[in-house]
Amino acid sequence: MTAAPQPATLRPTDEIEAGHSLWQDAWHRLRKNKMAVLGGIFIILLTIASFVTPLVASDYYKHQNLDLGATPPSHAHWFGTDQLGRDLLARVLYGGCISLSVGIAATVVSVVIGVLYGTISGYIGGRLDVIMMRAVDILYSLPFVMFVILLMVIFGRNIILLFMAIGAVEWLDMARIVRGQVQSLKKQEFIEAALALGLRKRRIILRHMIPNVLGIVIIYSTLIVPSVMLLESFLSFLGFGVQPPMSSWGTLINEGAKSMEECPWLLIFPGLFFSASLFSLNFLGDGLRDALDVRASKD
Amino acid sequence: MSDAFLQLQNVKTHFPVERGIIFRRHIGEVKAVDGVSLSLLQGEILGLVGESGCGKSTLGRTILQLVPPTEGAVILAGKNLAQLKGRALRESRADFQMIFQDPYASLNPRMTVFDTLVEAIRAHKTVPSSELANRVSELMKKVGLSPRFLQKYPHEFSGGQRQRIAIARALAVEPKLIIADEPVSALDVSIQAQIINLLAQLSREMKLTLVFISHDLSVVKHISDRIAVMYVGKIVELGPATDVFEKPLHPYTKALVSAVPIPDPEREKKRLRVILSGDPPSPMNPPGGCAFHPRCACAVAECSRTVPGLDNFNAARQVACIRAKEIN
């Protein structure tokens, strides 16, 4: 036993060593995951293409050429045209814009509601927590496609409402996940240490709680986006979603399926884009989970 | 004692046990801390020992008002902490700090050491930014860490280094009282000694009053001026560290002391052990009379009827056992 504390350093340099934050470490791990990187690149390119197309050629997707009719892919129309002579590439990209917007907007809605709800329920706890979580259980037990359809029937077919309806259903998972995280964080000693320091509640939530919940929120958001897109195309497929002449991948697949035998390209291209983006988002989400949550992946 | 710096008067911390989801029924109480009175001088180091679940951690948290006491007073430098609320309590927290058991859980993994220490420094004082870097470096040196690690994150340190950071954070607010809750039980034995010595040295230099909680008597022996032994929410023996260790008075302390291995094979072979039978009783439903009587070798019929108070055995030592004079 020595009397003086041992200095923990061995090298006598005086430079301040840069640390690696958990975010930086996660970024390094994510970059090593090829599928996640490819998925991310694909999503970025697709997003750019989908959102730029309507800006550059704002009306081209509904430009009809009835003389032309349905043609297979050619030099003039890379993805071919549909029965009304509309360029399929433009319609697929425009549909991507709608599908991605629905996916992102509904995810934002569900993240905001879910994080707030889950944090309050988990942080305050007690009886309020019980009541709030039973409310989630009740909503969870509703057949949610029926719920969305009911909303559409009552309030009419409206894109904004579609965002809201899907978001309002998807936040349940997020609320449960965040609540669980906050509850386990609350018992962590560093939160107790912050209380013992006499920090304000707002600071504890902002500096200590939220940064530690954020990883999980990001992971689940990337996984919510594809499930929302799937739900949107499902609703569009049923005829409750986006209305013509606007297009989303769901409506395009719906139309394509009707004439699948005569003009298969009308089903193949939207289907291909849709599956590819769902795959990419899922790979990206899995990659993020492995990168951010080391415990879940390494052992 | 009138010159006491920290005084506990009959402190009780009971947790209600409830059943039912929305309509809760009160079905009992866990008496985690059940009537503890103590007084400490400024700069004194008290070792608080006991089995797991005996209420020593709860007592530490109660002193710091992290858990509100059900009853009793915690008086620090003339101020009753148990009566403080809200803002007043938050502001007085600069006077008392805690060091936690698990250095892997007690530091925010998303904040650099610098941010953690700055947050602590700024919790109670406004320090100009120009001075911050100096103050933080000073803290790091005080706990034996190089300031060049300041921009690193907790996961880049070893357990012992993290515990030093946790100590630096506790010191940042310049407290007068520190409660260390098993600060070395999560560390390697070789590191334990370093941390214990660091705490002892800091306590001497800064006139810090230190309550050192541990389940390991041999750890506490080295650092403490006095030792308090807890059993099921009550202090059963209190006295100078060497006395308690060399000549324990309470049958429970005797059992504890006899369980400490001696690092000498010859003497270790001859060591007499008092083996306790049974588990410690549930603090929800402790046995009547002396809580220790069902496991005690010296128990008589009277022990199951009378609750022993913590009485003076001699000028320096106190023990809660009705047969203390007979058996010693």
Side-chain angles (χ1 to χ4, degrees), chain A residues 187-263:
Chain A
K187 297 197 181 77
Q188 293 269 335
E189 285 181 343
F190 70 85
I191 298 290
E192 225 181 352
L195 282 171
L197 274 176
L199 299 179
R200 282 162 210 277
K201 214 174 237 167
R202 200 184 52 198
R203 191 176 172 88
I204 292 177
I205 291 180
L206 288 180
R207 287 293 302 258
H208 297 273
M209 289 278 194
I210 293 194
N212 284 290
V213 179
L214 217 55
I216 297 279
V217 171
I218 291 173
I219 293 163
Y220 281 91
S221 311
T222 54
L223 297 175
I224 285 179
V225 176
S227 79
V228 168
M229 286 169 65
L230 210 56
L231 190 56
E232 183 273 334
S233 43
F234 174 62
L235 290 171
S236 295
F237 190 84
L238 292 178
F240 286 103
V242 175
Q243 298 303 307
M246 291 208 302
S247 66
S248 78
W249 287 336
T251 56
L252 288 175
I253 291 169
N254 183 20
E255 286 164 19
K258 284 177 193 157
S259 52
M260 150 168 92
E261 278 165 28
E262 309 91 76
C263 353

Side-chain angles (χ1 to χ4, degrees), chain B:
Chain B
M1 244 189 274
S2 57
D3 52 351
F5 178 65
L6 171 71
Q7 212 172 2
L8 308 185
Q9 293 170 350
N10 195 28
V11 171
K12 292 185 181 176
T13 311
H14 297 177
F15 297 109
V17 180
E18 288 168 335
R19 200 167 277 170
I21 296 171
I22 295 175
F23 303 102
R24 295 192 174 210
R25 285 174 296 129
H26 187 86
I27 59 165
E29 265 178 342
V30 172
K31 297 176 176 172
V33 178
D34 198 21
V36 169
S37 299
L38 251 184
S39 46
L40 291 183
L41 301 172
Q42 182 150 26
E44 189 173 1
I45 301 180
L46 177 81
L48 190 58
V49 287
E51 282 167 285
S52 356
C54 73
K56 51 195 195 305
S57 288
T58 307
L59 179 59
R61 282 170 163 77
T62 304
I63 297 173
L64 296 188
Q65 305 300 310
L66 288 172
V67 177
T70 316
E71 220 185 290
V74 178
I75 299 167
L76 181 71
K79 203 161 49 172
N80 187 355
L81 303 180
Q83 283 170 351
L84 295 179
K85 290 231 155 44
R87 194 188 168 89
L89 176 61
R90 215 177 57 227
E91 279 167 5
S92 67
R93 287 194 182 280
D95 290 341
F96 44 96
Q97 280 300 308
M98 182 142 184
I99 295 165
F100 293 88
Q101 173 172 9
D102 183 358
Y104 289 85
S106 68
L107 298 168
N108 185 345
R110 308 262 172 208
M111 280 164 81
T112 61
V113 178
F114 184 80
D115 289 341
T116 298
L117 295 180
V118 164
E119 181 174 66
I121 290 172
R122 285 199 159 153
H124 294 284
K125 278 185 213 91
T126 40
V127 178
S129 308
S130 53
E131 224 183 280
L132 269 180
N134 277 334
R135 293 281 290 275
V136 170
S137 304
E138 239 170 67
L139 275 173
M140 288 288 273
K141 281 177 196 150
K142 211 176 238 171
V143 296
L145 287 174
S146 162
R148 70 198 172 88
F149 292 141
L150 274 172
Q151 290 304 325
K152 289 199 172 272
Y153 288 83
H155 61 99
E156 298 174 281
F157 292 95
S158 68
Q161 286 174 319
R162 287 182 193 213
Q163 200 57 289
R164 287 173 194 270
I165 297 165
I167 294 171
R169 174 180 60 192
L171 294 177
V173 296
E174 295 165 11
K176 298 168 191 142
L177 168 72
I178 285 188
I179 310 254
D181 185 7
E182 306 241 11
V184 296
S185 58
L187 304 176
D188 285 349
V189 178
S190 56
I191 310 292
Q192 287 189 357
Q194 291 180 16
I195 297 292
I196 292 170
N197 289 331
L198 173 65
L199 282 171
Q201 176 209 342
L202 289 169
S203 162
R204 263 197 312 278
E205 282 172 8
M206 304 170 70
K207 286 215 98 189
L208 271 175
T209 310
L210 184 67
V211 176
F212 191 99
I213 299 171
S214 180
H215 61 268
D216 186 347
L217 255 185
S218 58
V219 162
V220 159
K221 181 180 76 168
H222 286 286
I223 186 172
S224 310
D225 300 317
R226 285 197 296 165
I227 289 180
V229 182
M230 259 184 108
Y231 188 75
V232 200
K234 287 191 169 75
I235 290 182
V236 295
E237 180 162 359
L238 177 66
T242 41
D243 292 1
V244 172
F245 204 77
E246 303 289 327
K247 195 178 174 305
L249 296 175
H250 196 279
Y252 177 63
T253 320
K254 289 180 201 225
L256 276 188
V257 170
S258 82
V260 177
I262 305 167
D264 172 352
E266 287 305 308
R267 283 167 60 208
E268 169 73 14
K269 262 182 227 159
K270 291 178 210 143
R271 177 160 69 96
L272 280 176
R273 287 181 217 193
V274 184
I275 310 268
L276 288 182
S277 58
D279 292 320
S282 151
M284 213 178 127
N285 187 18
C290 171
F292 187 60
H293 83 264
R295 300 169 82 190
C296 181
C298 317
V300 293
E302 181 63 14
C303 290
S304 62
R305 289 191 291 268
T306 317
V307 180
L310 188 62
D311 298 321
N312 285 345
F313 183 78
N314 57 37
R317 308 184 63 179
Q318 287 154 300
V319 59
C321 178
I322 52 171
R323 299 190 65 208
K325 293 256 156 78
E326 294 169 52
I327 59 177
N328 287 298

